[in-house]
């Protein structure tokens, strides 16, 4: 579920970047504002669907930030 939604967001942002001529900073800022809440929502949905799993919103927020930074690191390393 996460991979599909992330793929949609990445493709949407690439199209938006090409059509609107966004700078890399604008693209990364927009990705940040979409990726972190999306990850938190996915963690919340996973928490409700899987019994015995509990995660506070602070933990979900920190995990989402780390996931975003790791993704940026991998993207820069692949270039």
């Amino acid at each position: 579920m996460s991979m599909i939604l992330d793929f949609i967001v990445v493709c949407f942002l690439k199209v938006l970047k090409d059509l609107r001529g966004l700078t890399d900073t604008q693209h990364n800022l927009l990705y940040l504002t979409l990726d972190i809440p999306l990850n938190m929502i996915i963690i919340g949905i996973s928490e409700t669907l899987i019994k015995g799993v509990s995660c506070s919103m602070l933990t979900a927020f920190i995990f989402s930030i780390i996931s975003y930074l790791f993704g940026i690191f991998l993207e820069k390393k692949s270039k």
Side-chain angles (χ1 to χ4, degrees), residues 4 10 27 44 54 67 74 76:
I4 294 169
V10 168
H27 177 266
S54 178
S67 173
L74 289 178
K76 294 211 185 254

Side-chain angles (χ1 to χ4, degrees), residues 1-77:
M1 181 168 76
S2 174
M3 290 174 52
I4 294 169
L5 291 175
D6 191 49
F7 177 73
I8 291 170
V9 168
V10 168
C11 289
F12 170 74
L13 289 176
K14 284 187 180 188
V15 168
L16 190 63
K17 183 178 181 178
D18 289 342
L19 291 178
R20 297 288 181 186
L22 297 177
T23 65
D24 287 337
T25 304
Q26 291 172 329
H27 177 266
N28 287 337
L29 187 61
L30 192 55
Y31 183 65
L32 171 78
T33 58
L34 291 175
D35 188 53
I36 290 177
L38 184 66
N39 279 334
M40 290 180 65
I41 290 169
I42 291 170
I43 290 170
I45 291 171
S46 299
E47 180 183 12
T48 58
L49 293 176
I50 302 172
K51 295 184 190 250
V53 173
S54 178
C55 179
S56 70
M57 279 295 119
L58 178 62
T59 304
F61 181 69
I62 292 170
F63 176 79
S64 298
I65 290 173
I66 291 170
S67 173
Y68 168 77
L69 293 173
F70 187 67
I72 294 295
F73 172 74
L74 289 178
E75 181 181 322
K76 294 211 185 254
K77 189 165 181 119

